[in-house]
């Protein structure tokens, strides 16, 4: 059949079928558009405010009724979910301070009370100490002599020893026994006994020095004062001729000495020397660092003091053999100097005329016209020690005499009893 010929039945059938299919499709489209229109009229929530109606689209063609019922279309309204809010945690700045705490642990040691008669009056000495030192530590006003008497007349306490500190209460607070009154006869006897102990000790120390023994009588007289002064000088203590009190540091030193050292002086720089101490009125004689002899002397009186010397050489010796050893001073003859002296016995001159010489009167105080007196027998010992005992005439050669003289110190009289 010619394709340009009128429509054939077959073509018409296909056309009709196409038309019917097109109508069906249009009807279905109309239903779908209607449903969409209804759905689109629903309010859609807005993120920014109230919901705004969306107008439905107008159909482009009339849709004939159809027997086909469209299944209802459910359109889900989108839910706007707010993004989760992240809340920043507050930042806290903490300043950390490190505190170092030092804990000191204090250990308290409780000392049990002393097992004594009166614990309030007794102390234990930590170390060996004189009563003078203990008195100073316990109470500045405490008398060392009183402490000495209160503790049985001992000069010092041993390490760990018990000390009764309540002076003058009439009782020994260690054992409860009675103590003598400090101004009673028992105290007087104890002080005299202490002086006897001093005199005995001094005789022991001076035994090999030619000094001569003190009388051990418990009386601290001028001769005892001289010897005490010499011991103080040798032991490097304060030099004085005053009494030595019991319980003191110096008495502890005296009783503890086995020998007497040589006094500190430039005199020992010489090969042979004589040291005259005006404070003690004592003469030390020695060689190098050793003291060989020690004699009492009497130096120049007030206005005629024996001049201070530092290693002055002896330049002249006169044995005065034509007059029994006695040289009559032209400046101070016998009648002017001292008739008891016999003037100058075998003098040795130093420093323009002052001399060491023997005399018949040698008091324990300054009494000469500037010389240093020795007892006649002591002068003979000195001359022999120097090797001059066989000299037959006056000698002027220093090198042959070979001895220097030092003079030091200043005499201070002893306090009169009752005025101290």
């Amino acid at each position: 059949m010619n394709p340009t010929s009128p429509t054939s039945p077959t073509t018409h059938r296909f056309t009709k079928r196409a038309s019917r299919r097109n109508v069906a499709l249009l009807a279905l489209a109309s239903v779908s558009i209607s449903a969409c229109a209804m759905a689109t009229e629903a309010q859609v929530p807005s993120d920014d405010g109230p919901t705004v109606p969306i107008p439905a689209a107008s159909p482009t063609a009339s849709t004939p009724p159809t027997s086909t019922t469209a299944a209802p279309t459910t359109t889900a309204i989108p839910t706007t979910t707010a993004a989760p809010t992240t809340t920043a945690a507050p930042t806290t700045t903490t300043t950390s301070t490190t505190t170092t705490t030092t804990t000191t642990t204090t250990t308290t040691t409780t000392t049990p009370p002393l097992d004594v008669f009166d614990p309030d009056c007794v102390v234990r000495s930590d170390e060996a100490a004189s009563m003078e030192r203990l008195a100073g530590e316990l109470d500045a006003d405490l008398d060392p002599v009183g402490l000495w008497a209160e503790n049985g007349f001992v000069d010092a306490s041993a390490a760990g020893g018990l000390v009764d500190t309540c002076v003058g209460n009439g009782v020994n607070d260690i054992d409860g026994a009675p103590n003598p009154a400090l101004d009673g006869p028992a105290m007087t006897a104890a002080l005299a006994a202490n002086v006897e102990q001093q005199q005995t000790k001094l005789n022991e120390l001076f035994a090999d020095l030619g000094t001569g023994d003190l009388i051990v009588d418990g009386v601290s007289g001028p001769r005892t004062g001289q010897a005490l002064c010499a011991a103080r000088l040798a032991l490097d203590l304060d030099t004085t001729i005053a009494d030595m009190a019991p319980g003191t540091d110096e008495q502890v030193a005296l009783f503890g000495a086995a020998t007497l050292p040589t006094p500190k002086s430039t005199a020992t720089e010489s090969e042979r020397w004589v040291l005259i101490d005006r404070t003690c009125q004592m003469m030390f004689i020695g060689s190098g660092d050793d003291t060989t002899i020690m004699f009492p002397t009497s130096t120049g009186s007030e206005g005629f003091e024996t001049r201070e010397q530092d290693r002055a050489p002896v330049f002249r010796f006169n044995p005065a053999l034509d007059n029994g050893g006695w040289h009559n001073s032209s400046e101070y003859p016998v009648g002017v100097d001292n008739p008891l002296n016999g003037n100058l016995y075998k003098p040795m001159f130093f420093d323009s005329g002052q001399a060491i010489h023997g005399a018949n009167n040698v008091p324990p105080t300054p009494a000469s016209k500037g010389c240093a007196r020795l007892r006649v027998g002591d002068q003979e010992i000195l001359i022999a020690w120097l090797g001059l005992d066989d000299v037959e005439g006056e000698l002027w050669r220093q090198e042959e005499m070979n001895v220097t003289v030092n003079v030091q110190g200043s005499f201070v009289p002893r306090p009169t009893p009752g005025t101290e």
Side-chain angles (χ1 to χ4, degrees):
M1 189 175 289
N2 191 347
T4 61
S5 65
T7 307
S8 68
T10 303
T11 303
H12 179 74
R13 186 176 65 248
F14 280 105
T15 305
K16 282 184 67 174
R17 287 177 181 174
S19 298
R20 287 176 183 172
R21 185 179 60 191
N22 291 339
V23 170
L25 290 171
L26 288 172
L28 182 59
S30 175
V31 173
S32 297
I33 291 170
S34 176
C36 288
M38 290 177 64
T40 55
E41 286 184 356
Q43 293 182 347
V44 179
S46 169
D47 289 338
D48 298 325
T51 56
V52 179
I54 302 175
S58 299
T60 58
S62 296
T63 305
T66 179
S67 60
T68 303
T69 305
T73 302
T74 304
T75 304
I77 301 174
T79 302
T80 303
T81 303
T85 303
T86 302
T87 304
T91 302
T92 302
T93 301
T94 303
T95 301
S96 177
T97 302
T98 301
T99 303
T100 301
T101 303
T102 301
T103 303
T104 302
T105 302
T106 303
T107 302
T108 303
T109 302
T110 303
T111 303
L114 297 173
D115 184 17
V116 295
F117 179 75
D118 186 351
D120 292 336
C121 286
V122 180
V123 299
R124 188 181 297 279
S125 178
D126 292 336
E127 58 185 0
S130 68
M131 292 303 168
E132 179 180 30
R133 178 178 170 187
L134 289 171
E137 293 176 352
L138 294 169
D139 185 345
D141 296 328
L142 192 58
D143 179 20
V145 177
L147 204 60
W148 166 79
E150 191 73 20
N151 288 275
F153 311 109
V154 295
D155 290 307
S157 170
L162 298 177
V163 181
D164 183 353
T165 63
C166 293
V167 174
N169 63 352
V171 63
N172 183 325
D173 294 292
I174 298 174
D175 58 15
N179 264 353
L182 297 182
D183 57 352
M187 184 65 174
T188 301
L191 290 171
N194 185 71
V195 172
E196 290 182 359
Q197 292 173 9
Q198 291 176 357
Q199 292 166 333
T200 299
K201 183 65 177 182
L202 292 168
N203 285 342
E204 292 174 2
L205 293 174
F206 298 158
D208 298 328
L209 299 176
T211 308
D213 286 345
L214 297 169
I215 299 172
V216 180
D217 57 4
V219 177
S220 186
R223 294 294 182 188
T224 299
Q226 257 185 315
L228 285 172
C229 185
R232 288 176 174 123
L233 180 63
L235 294 171
D236 200 24
L237 303 171
D238 289 341
T239 309
T240 173
I241 60 174
D243 292 344
M244 183 176 285
T248 57
D249 290 339
E250 62 177 3
Q251 178 153 296
V252 171
L254 174 67
F255 289 161
T259 59
L260 283 180
T262 296
K264 294 179 180 179
S265 170
T266 60
T268 59
E269 297 175 15
S270 295
E271 182 181 355
R272 301 196 298 187
W273 48 266
V274 173
L275 172 61
I276 301 168
D277 190 86
R278 293 174 297 197
T279 304
C280 300
Q281 295 293 291
M282 293 292 287
M283 184 181 297
F284 298 79
I285 303 163
S287 176
D289 293 329
D290 298 324
T291 300
T292 304
I293 303 168
M294 188 172 62
F295 293 143
T297 188
S298 176
T299 60
S301 58
E302 187 175 358
F304 300 94
E305 289 84 358
T306 305
R307 294 182 291 273
E308 189 164 330
Q309 306 293 326
D310 184 1
R311 301 174 66 206
V314 171
F315 63 88
R316 176 187 175 196
F317 169 58
N318 184 9
L321 296 179
D322 58 348
N323 192 33
W326 293 97
H327 169 77
N328 193 22
S329 170
S330 58
E331 187 172 358
Y332 299 106
V334 173
V336 176
D337 186 11
N338 189 332
L340 297 175
N341 284 345
N343 213 255
L344 312 179
Y345 183 80
K346 297 186 178 181
M348 295 186 296
F349 295 92
F350 63 93
D351 189 27
S352 303
Q354 292 191 331
I356 299 169
H357 65 82
N360 289 326
N361 181 31
V362 186
T365 55
S368 79
K369 291 295 187 291
C371 294
R373 298 178 186 175
L374 293 177
R375 293 171 298 204
V376 171
D378 292 344
Q379 183 72 3
E380 288 284 10
I381 292 172
L382 172 57
I383 292 169
W385 181 76
L386 291 171
L388 303 176
D389 49 338
D390 58 355
V391 173
E392 296 180 354
E394 195 166 6
L395 184 65
W396 289 80
R397 292 187 295 275
Q398 295 182 20
E399 65 278 5
E400 192 168 339
M401 289 175 278
N402 188 26
V403 62
T404 61
V405 177
N406 279 49
V407 179
Q408 65 180 31
S410 179
F411 182 75
V412 178
R414 301 186 89 197
T416 303
T419 64
E420 301 173 70

